[in-house]
Amino acid sequence: MDSKRTTDRRTFLYTSGMAAGALALSLPVTSACRNTQKKDKLGIALVGLGYYSTDLLAPALQETQHAYLAGIVTGSPDKARKWQEQYQIPEKNVYSYETFDQIKDNPDIDVVYIVLPNSMHKEYTIRGAKAGKHVFCEKPMAVTAADCREMIDACKNNGVKLAIGYRMQHEPHTQQLMRFAEENTFGPIRMITAGAGWRWDNPGDHWKNKKSYGGGAMMDMGVYSLQAARYAMGEEPVAVAAQQYTRRPDVFSEVDEFTSFQLQFPGGALANLHTSLGVGMNYLQVNADNGWYRVDPFSAYNGISGESSNGPIAFEAGNQQARQMDDDCLAIINGQDLMVPGEEGLRDIRIVEAIRQSVAEGGRWIDLQG
Amino acid sequence: MDSKRTTDRRTFLYTSGMAAGALALSLPVTSACRNTQKKDKLGIALVGLGYYSTDLLAPALQETQHAYLAGIVTGSPDKARKWQEQYQIPEKNVYSYETFDQIKDNPDIDVVYIVLPNSMHKEYTIRGAKAGKHVFCEKPMAVTAADCREMIDACKNNGVKLAIGYRMQHEPHTQQLMRFAEENTFGPIRMITAGAGWRWDNPGDHWKNKKSYGGGAMMDMGVYSLQAARYAMGEEPVAVAAQQYTRRPDVFSEVDEFTSFQLQFPGGALANLHTSLGVGMNYLQVNADNGWYRVDPFSAYNGISGESSNGPIAFEAGNQQARQMDDDCLAIINGQDLMVPGEEGLRDIRIVEAIRQSVAEGGRWIDLQG
């Protein structure tokens, strides 16, 4: 891909007023905000065309009602060409990381979806916000809580929305767990266990064990266990303790291969959680005064399945990523609150920082109420 | 019950040579040890007639092939009378805690089964051993590792066997888990989770929250999680970290209501375990390189049920306590090794002590290899 030529072409199309192309505007522009035109569908540009974009998000965007794949941002001309062919993406909607900021001039793109290594979330979220685009950012939100705050501020200051791509809050079994907590279905919850992991052996997915890229088990999968405890409990934890270790020190010399961590909740529940890049596991168990429930797997891309002391927890799951993007786009279209805004991602990373502190300080309980 | 009269009557019966009463000796005495006569069945005296003896052990002893309920030791004349009637226990086989040591003169009693509060295990095991009786001792073995060692020594010095009443090693689903580890069925094990707990509200079971009686969640149910990790792994852990807390400080002012703890195994697996007297839970999950398995419940008295990535784990469970006492009595009859000897109980209590140390020292990893 000749990015110079692409840029020129995009600029041309935009300035010649043809950019709305594939979009059917359902209503005249009613909002003062340049990205909240009342559309049926928002155009999403995927930023980073790795496995998750390729195998999950792009296919999901063929099923969405309120989102469509409008553009791509990639450093690979080969990938760009392939995607353009497969998804009929016009040249003007193809960006490199160098030309990314010019996306501000492209009205086809309402949302940039950041699907880059964790350490790059902050930069591209802020650049996307400055380009006036709503931002969907993959989990974990960023490497530090300070980074998360900068991202939230950037979106706020530029009048755009920020959603974190956790998926599960959009998934019906998970939504049922959240209702159980809210409605006290099984009485007070006392104990939550969750394990989330996979066996990372893949040299192609090269950054998972790199500290500088925000890798490690806690960052990659641990946030699912953490999220699970928080949404299953419906409360924010008040203290955390954590343990980390590495079974393959040659591979995991910079980051954790295994993390276990415990959360105390204000209502008196305890969560005992773990995560790993050494073994596949995916389960969530909740024990309450009047019963129990269990979802296994609980955060996989499909096959979510649950049972409880009251019987099965069974829903038509649908495509998780399609649900997520539809929910988020519809909320933006209707000017409603996002289900998983940046503040929710920040809550996790604050706890991840306390986990790092607990590990550094020999496993002691860290107060989260400060 | 008039213990003086009982004692006299027992003494009379013994000295008049009628004591063998209900026992059919299958073979002449062939062993030098006074308690290893080749019998079909060993006579067991239950020491302590609380819930576990009443509802589990006595009924189980109606099903055993190699054990029978020969006697009882109780401080309650009312209970004694009731048990004597229900189980046709002769007056001479009924002891109080004061007359307990005279059990040495009673050839009906081959085994004393200590079913007393944890803090009393040591004293009655040692007194039983000194009376020349084999000892079955309920879990947890004792309050300290030093106590366990004294108990082991007392049994050794008196030429009697000591078995810990863990049950699960005699249970077929559990035995399957042990085979999985031994035969590497699912490849190397990487992660073990177990939760064991119940909701303790019962003022009748008055000692569970008393430190002086060896109460608390870790002692009561935590040893099941600990055992589970050890038998599921088939290795001894090399380090442990632990966290404790109490949700009902009014009730659990002396001991833990919740404990979570982590074990590192030499092969590289991690166990993340927990226990509670605040909530019912009973599950064991094992994740290995090539699959997973799960037993839920894993240490309940019945209903043990398992599934795995290879399919169900299903066995005819039978009566756990009957299996346990039959296995142990048969091993004694045949002069074979016990499946769960005192040394196995000691291994757990050593780790329980390290758990106490980790909690006292803010959750740090404690080396278990010393």
Side-chain angles (χ1 to χ4, degrees):
Chain A
M1 187 177 73
D2 178 339
S3 70
K4 178 67 171 63
R5 192 171 59 94
T6 307
T7 307
D8 289 346
R9 180 166 156 75
R10 185 173 58 246
T11 307
F12 166 75
L13 287 169
Y14 177 67
T15 53
S16 66
M18 292 166 66
L23 273 189
L25 296 179
S26 62
L27 284 171
V29 176
T30 55
S31 165
C33 175
R34 56 189 154 171
N35 277 307
T36 51
Q37 297 167 317
K38 194 80 174 178
K39 298 175 177 181
D40 279 335
K41 285 190 171 194
L42 299 187
I44 293 183
L46 296 178
V47 184
L49 304 183
Y51 162 75
Y52 194 66
S53 284
T54 306
D55 284 20
L56 281 310
L57 294 178
L61 282 165
Q62 311 313 305
E63 298 185 29
T64 41
Q65 304 292 309
H66 303 288
Y68 76 101
L69 177 57
I72 50 177
V73 181
T74 175
S76 159
D78 281 350
K79 276 191 189 172
R81 204 168 300 119
K82 212 166 145 191
W83 277 65
Q84 283 188 264
E85 271 172 33
Q86 186 170 357
Y87 295 111
Q88 290 81 53
I89 300 169
E91 188 75 9
K92 70 183 177 67
N93 291 357
V94 176
Y95 296 84
S96 69
Y97 296 111
E98 290 73 31
T99 64
F100 176 69
D101 303 301
Q102 298 170 17
I103 212 163
K104 73 175 187 297
D105 300 320
N106 190 338
D108 283 9
I109 313 294
D110 300 287
V111 176
V112 292
Y113 194 153
I114 314 301
V115 201
L116 295 165
N118 301 336
S119 59
M120 300 168 76
H121 290 180
K122 173 188 163 185
E123 176 188 341
Y124 282 85
T125 292
I126 293 174
R127 286 171 66 179
K130 286 184 175 169
K133 304 302 178 184
H134 301 296
V135 181
F136 297 169
C137 177
E138 258 313 297
K139 45 62 56 180
M141 183 171 172
V143 179
T144 68
D147 286 355
C148 294
R149 290 190 191 95
E150 278 190 63
M151 293 158 74
I152 292 169
D153 289 346
C155 290
K156 194 175 291 180
N157 295 339
N158 287 280
V160 297
K161 299 278 189 180
L162 172 57
I164 309 303
Y166 269 122
R167 284 184 293 118
M168 304 322 298
Q169 287 87 344
H170 307 270
E171 195 282 326
H173 298 79
T174 312
Q175 291 174 339
Q176 180 64 67
L177 302 192
M178 296 167 83
R179 277 193 297 273
F180 286 158
E182 200 179 317
E183 297 169 3
N184 204 29
T185 313
F186 293 82
I189 292 169
R190 304 303 184 193
M191 187 83 216
I192 297 174
T193 315
W198 58 296
R199 169 77 179 192
W200 184 81
D201 278 321
N202 184 359
D205 202 6
H206 63 279
W207 62 270
K208 294 282 184 195
N209 64 341
K210 296 285 194 300
K211 188 171 183 179
S212 60
Y213 282 88
M218 186 62 219
M219 287 291 276
D220 192 53
M221 293 298 286
V223 289
Y224 283 118
S225 297
L226 173 55
Q227 276 271 310
R230 291 180 52 244
Y231 61 62
M233 192 60 213
E235 284 181 1
E236 291 306 310
V238 294
V240 62
Q243 310 78 39
Q244 287 186 336
Y245 86 82
T246 293
R247 187 178 60 81
R248 294 174 289 175
D250 48 327
V251 180
F252 288 89
S253 58
E254 300 179 10
V255 294
D256 60 309
E257 185 181 15
F258 287 82
T259 294
S260 48
F261 58 109
Q262 298 75 41
L263 299 174
Q264 290 183 27
F265 287 94
L270 181 71
N272 193 15
L273 310 162
H274 38 271
T275 187
S276 174
L277 285 174
V279 67
M281 57 182 168
N282 205 286
Y283 52 90
L284 164 62
Q285 169 121 12
V286 178
N287 289 76
D289 275 5
N290 307 326
W292 56 267
Y293 39 104
R294 174 178 171 80
V295 186
D296 180 349
F298 78 96
S299 74
Y301 297 145
N302 49 56
I304 307 291
S305 169
E307 52 176 342
S308 80
S309 50
N310 291 355
I313 303 171
F315 293 89
E316 188 62 53
N319 181 304
Q320 292 178 12
Q321 287 82 4
R323 279 179 185 265
Q324 170 200 324
M325 291 186 282
D326 266 339
D327 283 347
D328 288 343
C329 286
L330 196 58
I332 291 172
I333 289 169
N334 292 330
Q336 294 168 330
D337 288 344
L338 292 165
M339 293 172 72
V340 191
E343 287 76 5
E344 176 66 12
L346 166 61
R347 282 181 204 112
D348 282 343
I349 301 303
R350 272 194 68 222
I351 299 168
V352 170
E353 288 192 335
I355 285 170
R356 291 183 195 131
Q357 186 188 349
S358 178
V359 169
E361 296 179 11
R364 75 174 182 87
W365 287 105
I366 305 295
D367 182 14
L368 293 170
Q369 295 172 100
Chain B
M1 187 177 72
D2 178 339
S3 71
K4 177 66 173 62
R5 192 173 58 93
T6 307
T7 306
D8 289 346
R9 179 166 157 75
R10 186 172 55 247
T11 307
F12 166 75
L13 286 169
Y14 177 65
T15 52
S16 65
M18 292 165 66
L23 272 190
L25 296 179
S26 62
L27 284 171
V29 176
T30 54
S31 165
C33 176
R34 56 189 154 171
N35 276 306
T36 51
Q37 298 166 316
K38 192 78 176 180
K39 297 173 175 180
D40 278 335
K41 284 190 172 195
L42 300 187
I44 293 184
L46 295 180
V47 184
L49 304 184
Y51 163 75
Y52 194 67
S53 285
T54 306
D55 284 21
L56 282 308
L57 294 178
L61 283 164
Q62 311 313 304
E63 297 186 29
T64 42
Q65 303 294 310
H66 304 288
Y68 77 101
L69 178 57
I72 50 177
V73 181
T74 175
S76 160
D78 281 350
K79 275 191 189 172
R81 205 169 299 118
K82 211 168 144 192
W83 277 66
Q84 284 188 265
E85 273 172 31
Q86 185 171 357
Y87 294 113
Q88 291 81 52
I89 299 170
E91 189 75 11
K92 69 182 178 66
N93 290 358
V94 177
Y95 296 83
S96 70
Y97 297 111
E98 290 72 32
T99 64
F100 175 71
D101 302 301
Q102 297 171 19
I103 213 164
K104 72 176 188 295
D105 300 320
N106 189 336
D108 283 9
I109 313 295
D110 300 288
V111 176
V112 292
Y113 194 152
I114 314 302
V115 201
L116 295 166
N118 300 336
S119 59
M120 299 169 76
H121 289 181
K122 173 188 164 184
E123 175 189 343
Y124 282 84
T125 292
I126 293 173
R127 284 169 67 179
K130 285 183 175 169
K133 303 301 177 186
H134 301 295
V135 181
F136 297 169
C137 176
E138 256 314 296
K139 47 61 56 181
M141 184 170 172
V143 179
T144 68
D147 286 355
C148 295
R149 289 190 191 96
E150 278 191 62
M151 294 158 74
I152 292 169
D153 288 347
C155 290
K156 195 176 289 180
N157 294 339
N158 287 281
V160 297
K161 297 280 189 180
L162 172 58
I164 309 303
Y166 268 122
R167 287 185 291 117
M168 304 322 299
Q169 288 87 343
H170 307 271
E171 194 282 324
H173 298 79
T174 311
Q175 291 173 338
Q176 180 65 65
L177 302 193
M178 296 166 83
R179 277 191 298 273
F180 285 158
E182 202 178 317
E183 297 170 4
N184 204 30
T185 312
F186 292 82
I189 292 169
R190 305 302 183 193
M191 187 83 217
I192 298 174
T193 314
W198 59 297
R199 168 78 178 191
W200 184 81
D201 279 320
N202 184 2
D205 202 7
H206 63 279
W207 61 269
K208 294 283 185 194
N209 63 343
K210 297 284 195 299
K211 188 172 183 177
S212 60
Y213 282 87
M218 187 63 220
M219 287 293 274
D220 193 54
M221 293 298 286
V223 290
Y224 284 118
S225 296
L226 173 54
Q227 276 270 310
R230 292 179 51 245
Y231 61 61
M233 192 61 213
E235 284 181 2
E236 292 306 311
V238 294
V240 64
Q243 309 78 39
Q244 288 186 336
Y245 87 83
T246 293
R247 187 178 61 80
R248 294 175 289 174
D250 49 326
V251 180
F252 287 89
S253 59
E254 301 180 8
V255 295
D256 59 310
E257 185 180 15
F258 286 82
T259 294
S260 49
F261 58 109
Q262 298 74 42
L263 300 173
Q264 289 182 28
F265 287 94
L270 181 71
N272 193 15
L273 309 162
H274 39 270
T275 186
S276 175
L277 286 174
V279 67
M281 56 182 168
N282 205 285
Y283 51 90
L284 164 61
Q285 168 120 13
V286 178
N287 289 76
D289 275 4
N290 307 326
W292 56 267
Y293 40 105
R294 174 178 171 82
V295 187
D296 181 349
F298 78 95
S299 74
Y301 297 147
N302 49 55
I304 307 290
S305 168
E307 54 175 340
S308 80
S309 49
N310 291 355
I313 303 171
F315 293 89
E316 188 64 52
N319 181 304
Q320 291 178 14
Q321 287 83 2
R323 278 178 185 264
Q324 170 201 323
M325 291 186 283
D326 266 340
D327 282 347
D328 288 343
C329 286
L330 196 59
I332 291 172
I333 289 168
N334 292 330
Q336 293 168 332
D337 288 343
L338 292 165
M339 290 172 73
V340 191
E343 288 75 6
E344 176 65 12
L346 167 61
R347 281 181 205 113
D348 281 342
I349 301 304
R350 271 195 68 222
I351 298 168
V352 171
E353 288 192 333
I355 284 170
R356 293 183 194 129
Q357 186 187 348
S358 178
V359 170
E361 296 179 10
R364 75 173 182 88
W365 287 106
I366 305 295
D367 183 14
L368 293 169
Q369 296 173 99

